[in-house]
Amino acid sequence: MMRVIHFFNIKEDADKEQVLHFFTTVMKDHTMTRGCVERRTLKLLDAHEGGEAVSAPQYINESWWPDVETSMAAFSQDQSNPEFSEAAKKTFEQIEMVRTVRYEEF
C-alpha cells in the first residue's frame, strides 16, 4: 500500500466551497474509479514541533493506493477526461501546495 498526503492552503481570494467540493467529491470520484482504495480531506487544527506551536498548512488531502504505479496511472488518464482536467486546473489555481509526502507500507 502507498499513501500520498498533500498539505495545502486555500488562497484568500479563492472560492473555498468550490475547492473543498473538488477534493471531497470530484477528485474522490475520479480516483476511486481508477484504483484508489480510500481518499479524504481534513482540516488541520494546529501543529507542534518540540512542544511549541508552529505554523501549519490549513488542509490535508490524503489517499491510499495499492501501489505507486496505480496512483501514477490514475492521473495519466486525465487527458481522456477534459471536465476533470479543467476542474483540477481551476482548483489548483486557488490553492497553495505546501508539501507532498508519499510513503509505502512494508
Side-chain angles (χ1 to χ4, degrees):
M1 274 307 230
M2 183 195 68
R3 180 182 280 189
V4 180
I5 304 172
H6 298 287
F7 297 89
F8 67 96
N9 294 320
I10 298 177
K11 294 179 181 177
E12 281 188 37
D13 59 343
D15 181 341
K16 181 179 173 181
E17 287 185 28
Q18 184 272 324
V19 169
L20 295 176
H21 172 76
F22 175 80
F23 283 111
T24 60
T25 304
V26 178
M27 176 70 83
K28 187 173 185 173
D29 292 348
H30 178 83
T31 57
M32 296 298 287
T33 61
R34 288 166 174 79
C36 185
V37 176
E38 186 177 341
R39 174 173 225 100
R40 62 188 178 172
T41 302
L42 306 165
K43 171 107 172 91
L44 285 170
L45 299 177
D46 56 29
H48 294 83
E49 187 173 313
E52 300 292 322
V54 295
S55 178
Q58 298 169 320
Y59 295 92
I60 296 174
N61 182 261
E62 61 182 352
S63 56
W64 289 266
W65 298 86
D67 50 50
V68 173
E69 295 77 20
T70 304
S71 171
M72 300 302 285
F75 293 99
S76 67
Q77 299 168 12
D78 287 356
Q79 303 310 318
S80 65
N81 187 338
E83 295 84 14
F84 175 80
S85 296
E86 184 61 27
K89 180 182 175 202
K90 286 180 180 179
T91 299
F92 286 102
E93 290 171 350
Q94 297 185 75
I95 68 169
E96 170 198 15
M97 192 64 70
V98 175
R99 178 172 291 122
T100 297
V101 178
R102 297 187 325 163
Y103 65 90
E104 251 179 353
E105 294 180 9
F106 56 91

